[in-house]
Amino acid sequence: MDIDDNLPKTDEEWRSKLDPHRYEVTRQGGTEAPFSNEYYNETAKGMYKCFNCGLPLFSSDTKYETKIPGLMGWPSFEDAIPGSVKFQPDDTLGMHRTEVVCSRCGSHLGHVFDDDGAESKTGKHYCVNSCSLKLEKSE
Ligand SMILES: [Zn+2]
């Protein structure tokens, strides 16, 4: 386990640790551009961990390619590793959404939606920013 025990504690420490784009997405709740991020079409097997603290978040076994307009172009997952994420209401941008954050370091990961397209076995659709994740590929 490459869990980082020296996590930043203040916003200023996060800002100095992360590149500006990653800081904006993971600590300010930003959203990266679709179709130009690292993992949206990644098919390798492995574990997607929190980029900022190393906590295992999503298995590649739960990753799928969505056909839902508006959610295409980011990594989609059916489920998270139990206990690895927390949920909080997000009413920004005039929408009612559920934000998904890392349960360990609180970094913003993305949002979870009810699966309207019958694509996901769990009925949930996790739409996650690639830059919040680091894929550890299995052999
Ligand atoms: Zn984390």
Side-chain angles (χ1 to χ4, degrees):
M1 296 284 275
D2 56 341
I3 294 277
D4 182 351
D5 283 321
N6 297 302
L7 290 177
K9 297 191 176 45
T10 66
D11 189 56
E12 207 45 52
E13 288 173 12
W14 280 113
R15 191 194 296 269
S16 62
K17 177 181 166 125
L18 300 171
D19 66 76
H21 172 65
R22 194 162 262 133
Y23 172 78
E24 193 213 319
V25 171
T26 65
R27 303 308 304 183
Q28 304 284 89
T31 301
E32 67 192 4
F35 301 108
S36 60
N37 55 77
E38 190 172 2
Y39 295 130
Y40 80 92
N41 61 355
E42 176 66 65
T43 57
K45 293 290 178 195
M47 180 61 70
Y48 289 86
K49 298 180 169 185
C50 176
F51 184 92
N52 289 350
C53 79
L55 187 70
L57 300 174
F58 300 99
S59 164
S60 63
D61 293 340
T62 66
K63 190 174 188 293
Y64 67 102
E65 196 174 330
T66 184
K67 300 283 188 288
I68 308 283
L71 297 181
M72 293 167 65
W74 292 278
S76 296
F77 297 93
E78 295 178 326
D79 210 354
I81 302 297
S84 70
V85 300
K86 288 187 197 163
F87 306 101
Q88 42 201 54
D90 175 5
D91 292 327
T92 59
L93 304 178
M95 292 182 276
H96 299 293
R97 295 182 296 172
T98 301
E99 182 186 9
V100 181
V101 303
C102 173
S103 68
R104 182 160 184 267
C105 73
S107 289
H108 172 78
L109 305 172
H111 293 87
V112 63
F113 302 93
D114 290 328
D115 172 36
D116 296 327
E119 295 175 327
S120 160
K121 291 189 209 63
T122 62
K124 295 293 178 190
H125 182 151
Y126 289 79
C127 183
V128 183
N129 291 289
S130 286
C131 74
S132 302
L133 301 172
K134 184 165 179 52
L135 172 61
E136 188 172 295
K137 293 181 183 173
S138 47
E139 301 305 314

